[in-house]
Amino acid sequence: MMSGHSRLRAAGLLAGATLLTTTACGAGSGATPEAADGKPQVLAAFYPLQWLSEQIAGPDAQVAVLTAPGVEPHDLELGAQQMAQLEDATLTVYIKGVQPAVDEAVDPERSFDAATAVATLPAGGHAEEGHAGEEGHAEESHAEEGHAEETHAEEGHDHGVAYDPHLWLDPSRLATVAGKLGERLAAADPAHAQGFKDRAATAAASLTALDKELATGLTTCATRTMVTAHEAFGYLADRYKLKQVGITLDPETEPSPARIDEVAKLAKAEKVTTIFTEALVSPKVAEVLAAEVGAKTAVLDPLESKPSGDYLSAMRGNLKTLQSALGCTP
Ligand SMILES: [Zn+2]
C-alpha cells in the first residue's frame, strides 16, 4: 500500500518521482515500508511553526525545520540541503511574506500557508524594505495622525504580500492556525486523523490560555507605546491594544538619523522608559536611541528563532518584560 504522502509526493514532483518514491519506501530495514516512512514529513519554515507543528504531529508525523536555530529567517537563502528538504516534505508549513526564498520554492499542493488561516493586518513591516523603506516610515507617522495605513500598504509588493506576516506573535491567531493545521494533517493521513485533531485542540487550548494571560497582564499600564528594533510586534500590539513604533521596518535596514530623531521625539512624548531590542538584531541603534531618550533597553523576543525555552515560555517572558517596561499593574 502506498501511503498518502508518497502519492502526494509523486504527484507533486514529476522529475524526481522515481528517486523520491524509492527514498520514501525503500529506506531502512526490510520491515513494512509504511512503518516508519509512511509518517507524514512536516517541514516547518521557521521556529514558531516548528513548535506548532511538533505539538500537533505527536508520534504520528516527523517534523523538521528549514531555518536553523540562531539564523535570522527573513533573508534565508536556500542551499541544496534545504531544497532537498522542501522536495522530501509531505507538507511545508510556512507564512507567505516572511521568507521570499521559501515563498518561491514551495509546492502549492504540498504546503500550508498559515497566513491563509487567519485575518491578517496590513503591512507596516518587511514587505516595504529596500527602496520603499522611507515611504514605509512616512506611512507610520501619517498613521499617528489618523490616516489609513491600508492605502499605503499596497506599495509593499516587494515580497508579494501587502500584509504584516508576523502573525505568530498573537497567540489567539496561532490557536486558529493550530486547528487548521490539524485538519490539514488529518486529511493528509486519515488513519491518524483523530490524533492530529486532538493534539491541535490541546495546542489551541494552551495558546488561548496564554492569550488570556497576556490580555490580563497588559490591561493597566503607564504607557502603551512599545518602541521596538524592527516591526515584528504588530499583531501583539493589535491584540493587546498597545502601539508599536518600530525603529526599522526590517532587521537588515539601518535607520536614518532623521528616523532616529523622529522616534526619539515620539518616545519622549509617550513617556517611554524602555527601548526593546531583540537577540538576532544588533542593539547598537536601540542603544543610541535609548541614550538620546534617557531610556534603558530590554530584549523582547519576536520568536523568529528558537528561544531557550519554547514558544509558550518565551511569550510569558515577553509578557514579564512588557509589564516591567510599560509599567503595567497586575
Ligand atoms: Zn520579522
Side-chain angles (χ1 to χ4, degrees), residues 72-74 98 126 166 168 230-232 249 251 278 302 304:
E72 212 290 323
H74 289 296
V98 175
H126 306 284
H166 297 83
W168 63 91
H230 94 282
E231 293 209 330
L249 296 171
E278 51 190 84
E304 294 190 342

Side-chain angles (χ1 to χ4, degrees), residues 126-144:
H126 306 284
E128 281 114 335
E129 72 172 350
H131 70 273
E134 291 306 307
E135 282 170 27
H137 289 314
E139 160 197 325
E140 256 173 45
S141 39
H142 290 161
E144 295 304 309

Side-chain angles (χ1 to χ4, degrees), residues 5-319:
H5 94 267
S6 297
R7 265 199 311 276
L8 277 171
R9 181 184 291 178
L13 284 154
L14 298 176
T18 307
L19 174 67
L20 287 165
T21 303
T22 305
T23 308
C25 304
S29 66
T32 50
E34 292 83 3
D37 297 330
K39 284 187 186 178
Q41 312 285 314
V42 178
L43 180 61
F46 58 102
Y47 177 72
L49 300 175
Q50 176 194 1
W51 176 81
L52 190 67
S53 298
E54 284 169 352
Q55 306 306 303
I56 299 171
D60 295 327
Q62 289 178 349
V63 179
V65 67
L66 197 59
T67 308
V71 173
E72 212 290 323
H74 289 296
D75 298 308
L76 182 73
E77 287 176 17
L78 301 175
Q81 191 200 334
Q82 282 136 327
M83 291 306 288
Q85 281 184 296
L86 282 160
E87 283 176 10
D88 284 350
T90 312
L91 189 70
T92 297
V93 182
Y94 75 117
I95 297 176
K96 193 175 179 195
V98 175
Q99 299 168 292
V102 176
D103 298 348
E104 272 183 36
V106 290
D107 177 345
E109 299 291 310
R110 296 182 293 119
S111 59
F112 174 83
D113 174 5
T116 64
V118 296
T120 52
L121 296 172
H126 306 284
E128 281 114 335
E129 72 172 350
H131 70 273
E134 291 306 307
E135 282 170 27
H137 289 314
E139 160 197 325
E140 256 173 45
S141 39
H142 290 161
E144 295 304 309
E145 295 153 27
H147 290 255
E149 262 177 302
E150 286 82 351
T151 56
H152 296 277
E154 300 300 325
E155 294 160 10
H157 282 162
D158 296 50
H159 294 165
V161 300
Y163 55 84
D164 176 351
H166 297 83
L167 59 93
W168 63 91
L169 290 162
D170 170 3
S172 71
R173 279 183 169 85
L174 201 56
T176 303
V177 173
K180 300 252 172 84
L181 180 54
E183 283 167 24
R184 182 67 187 266
L185 285 168
D189 183 8
H192 300 98
Q194 198 57 49
F196 289 123
K197 286 180 184 170
D198 288 349
R199 287 185 295 270
T202 302
S206 311
L207 289 163
T208 301
L210 172 66
D211 173 55
K212 291 211 172 83
E213 280 175 51
L214 281 154
T216 304
L218 297 171
T219 302
T220 311
C221 305
T223 179
R224 305 199 74 79
T225 299
M226 47 190 300
V227 179
T228 61
H230 94 282
E231 293 209 330
F233 297 92
Y235 286 88
L236 188 144
D238 180 72
R239 179 70 182 165
Y240 306 112
K241 302 184 175 63
L242 302 172
K243 186 171 84 180
Q244 172 182 236
V245 179
I247 305 171
T248 66
L249 296 171
D250 186 273
E252 302 291 304
T253 310
E254 279 276 311
S256 65
R259 174 61 183 168
I260 293 181
D261 280 351
E262 185 187 5
V263 177
K265 272 196 201 104
L266 200 145
K268 281 179 195 158
E270 307 267 339
K271 310 218 180 322
V272 165
T273 64
T274 308
I275 309 295
F276 295 113
T277 63
E278 51 190 84
L280 298 181
V281 176
S282 161
K284 195 186 72 191
V285 168
E287 281 163 0
V288 167
L289 181 66
E292 196 170 328
V293 176
K296 55 191 185 205
T297 62
V299 176
L300 201 61
D301 190 347
L303 279 153
E304 294 190 342
S305 187
K306 192 180 183 328
S308 53
D310 67 3
Y311 173 87
L312 296 172
S313 66
M315 286 298 281
R316 290 192 170 101
N318 280 342
L319 171 58

